[in-house]
Amino acid sequence: MATSSKNQPGGPQHLTTSRGAALYIGAVLGPGLLLLPGLAAAEAGPASILAWLALLVLSGLFAAVFSALGRRNPSAGGVIGYVTAGLGPRAGLATGWMFLAGVVSGAPIVCLIGASYVTDLTGGGQLARAAVGAMLLLTVIGLAAGGLRASAPAQLVLVSLLTGVVVVAAAGSARAARAGNWAPFAPHGWLPVGSAAATLMFSFVGWEAVAPLTTRFADPRRQLPRVVAIALAVTTALYLGLAVATISVLGPRAATNVPLAGLLSHAIGAAGQDIAAVAAIVLTLGATNAYINGAAAMAGQLAHAAPGSRGSGPVLRLLAAITATGLLLIILYGLRIVSTAALVAVPTALFLAVYLGAMAAAARVLRGPVRLAALPAALAVTAMLGFCSWALAVPAAVALAVSWRAQAGSRRHARNAHPACAVRRPGSPGQRDAMPSR
């Protein structure tokens, strides 16, 4: 409990409003900002700004709902506990595996983001980007296997670096903005705005990660509204500023994997590409390390449901899964078999499924006005899932696998608990003993 830990030496200290806001901002912002504005512009053109606006509103609903869930279930185990409380243990288990699969499939994307900025500076095609991305992934896996874990202050430094780079890029390139770059506003029609929103969702995941922090505030009822308001204001300013600058400044060249490099080149000249590449490498290593450590905690939590999975086993299996999956996806990208947009679609569909489960659970367990926030959020997530097309097969497969494993476990448990009820062949030894007496 927060009250008891306050008086214990070495216990977790209460969060101040400013530090709590910084942690909330850090959970939402990430290296996706280095890539997704270009992908959204490629899908919907200048109309992608509508997707940004809609997701910023939805982000506010997520913040309110997850804060309420964190207050109601302070020790429920994060998003797994929230879904379990509202929809049952099987749904909670499926949600945990979907989230873990999203992190596993998202790690190579982050490495490819960093690689794109490196090859933008050094030259080289898609195969070269894949090679650099693979080296970054193996570096992070090696550091994680060696026990390196970025501290919370280090994560805040990385977020500050990303924020500073975005501010310099958006504000410094403003003089190169052209109103004509906003026309035609919807060159591909209006339907791609939904596809752009689904793609951008990869940058709006994070509110669920900080929900358990609600118990660390001295006065959550007073502090939380301020923390959420500050986090929403900062993320809104950064997201909108970058989205508007990408379209206004880059125009037809906005559909790129390195939009921030283009903006920094306008802002500070030739050194912009160098700064973008260095920032991308630092953010890639730091963010991927954080993703892997977060996934390791999730894997350890899920291992409690699997007898015999103790110690370092789950973490080692996780690192092996990230390595194998990541290298496979990076190779497919390097051979031009899959595109960047296709790679982003997989973790996006998984995270959307996680958020749908969380919002549905919140609609069942919460009361008052915040329950009303969960309903439109669930509808919005459902609508975005409709734009994921083939990628929906991935969360569906995870759900089916978890359901099948749970049913198999239930059958084994039933046989072990009631051995006399096991089905026997006619004439088998002991059949008469297994028959009920008359």
Side-chain angles (χ1 to χ4, degrees):
M1 296 178 62
T3 53
S4 62
S5 64
K6 180 179 179 181
N7 299 320
Q8 294 175 357
Q13 300 298 311
H14 284 313
L15 287 175
T16 63
T17 299
S18 58
R19 183 169 178 80
L23 291 174
Y24 269 63
I25 294 168
V28 178
L29 295 181
L33 274 181
L34 303 178
L35 167 70
L36 297 182
L39 288 184
E43 290 181 342
S48 60
I49 194 67
L50 300 178
W52 284 102
L53 291 170
L55 283 175
L56 286 169
V57 174
L58 184 59
S59 188
L61 298 179
F62 288 154
V65 171
F66 279 115
S67 295
L69 287 172
R71 292 194 302 271
R72 188 183 187 278
N73 300 290
S75 59
V79 70
I80 298 178
Y82 305 150
V83 176
T84 298
L87 303 179
R90 188 170 298 184
L93 194 60
T95 297
W97 281 109
M98 287 181 194
F99 193 90
L100 190 60
V103 174
V104 170
S105 58
I109 297 172
V110 177
C111 292
L112 284 174
I113 291 174
S116 296
Y117 279 81
V118 171
T119 55
D120 180 65
L121 176 65
T122 63
Q126 195 158 319
L127 194 59
R129 287 196 294 274
V132 175
M135 287 190 292
L136 289 174
L137 179 65
L138 292 175
T139 299
V140 175
I141 293 295
L143 294 175
L148 179 66
R149 180 173 182 175
S151 63
Q155 292 300 320
L156 292 179
V157 170
L158 291 175
V159 172
S160 299
L161 172 63
L162 177 59
T163 301
V165 171
V166 170
V167 169
V168 170
S173 64
R175 62 180 181 274
R178 300 291 183 269
N181 287 334
W182 289 85
F185 186 69
H188 311 301
W190 297 106
L191 196 60
V193 175
S195 299
T199 298
L200 291 173
M201 183 66 190
F202 191 63
S203 264
F204 284 83
V205 175
W207 293 109
E208 82 295 331
V210 291
L213 292 178
T214 54
T215 58
R216 292 184 56 192
F217 291 106
D219 186 0
R221 188 176 299 275
R222 180 181 61 85
Q223 288 178 277
L224 268 178
R226 298 180 182 179
V227 167
V228 172
I230 294 171
L232 281 175
V234 172
T235 53
T236 297
L238 289 175
Y239 281 143
L240 278 185
L242 184 59
V244 170
T246 298
I247 296 170
S248 300
V249 175
L250 300 182
R253 294 179 290 107
T256 173
N257 287 341
V258 289
L260 205 63
L263 292 178
L264 284 172
S265 295
H266 283 283
I268 58 179
Q273 281 184 300
D274 300 335
I275 294 176
V278 172
I281 290 294
V282 174
L283 289 167
T284 295
L285 295 176
T288 309
N289 179 268
Y291 291 161
I292 290 175
N293 282 292
M298 177 75 74
Q301 187 177 355
L302 291 172
H304 288 297
S309 297
R310 296 294 185 266
S312 61
V315 176
L316 293 177
R317 286 193 292 271
L318 170 68
L319 294 178
I322 293 176
T323 303
T325 302
L327 290 178
L328 174 61
L329 293 176
I330 289 173
I331 290 171
L332 292 176
Y333 170 82
L335 297 177
R336 299 182 181 272
I337 297 175
V338 297
S339 64
T340 305
L343 290 177
V344 173
V346 173
T348 296
L350 288 162
F351 288 134
L352 281 170
V354 169
Y355 269 55
L356 179 59
M359 294 303 106
R364 295 192 64 181
V365 302
L366 297 180
R367 296 293 182 269
V370 72
R371 183 183 185 184
L372 299 178
L375 295 175
L379 291 175
V381 171
T382 302
M384 283 189 288
L385 277 169
F387 289 95
C388 291
S389 61
W390 61 269
L392 286 174
V394 181
V398 173
L400 288 174
V402 170
S403 179
W404 175 82
R405 184 174 181 179
Q407 288 178 353
S410 298
R411 288 193 295 268
R412 286 195 301 269
H413 178 75
R415 286 196 299 268
N416 294 334
H418 305 286
C421 296
V423 178
R424 302 177 186 272
R425 296 191 305 273
S428 62
Q431 181 182 13
R432 181 176 299 175
D433 295 337
M435 294 293 288
S437 60
R438 295 184 181 179

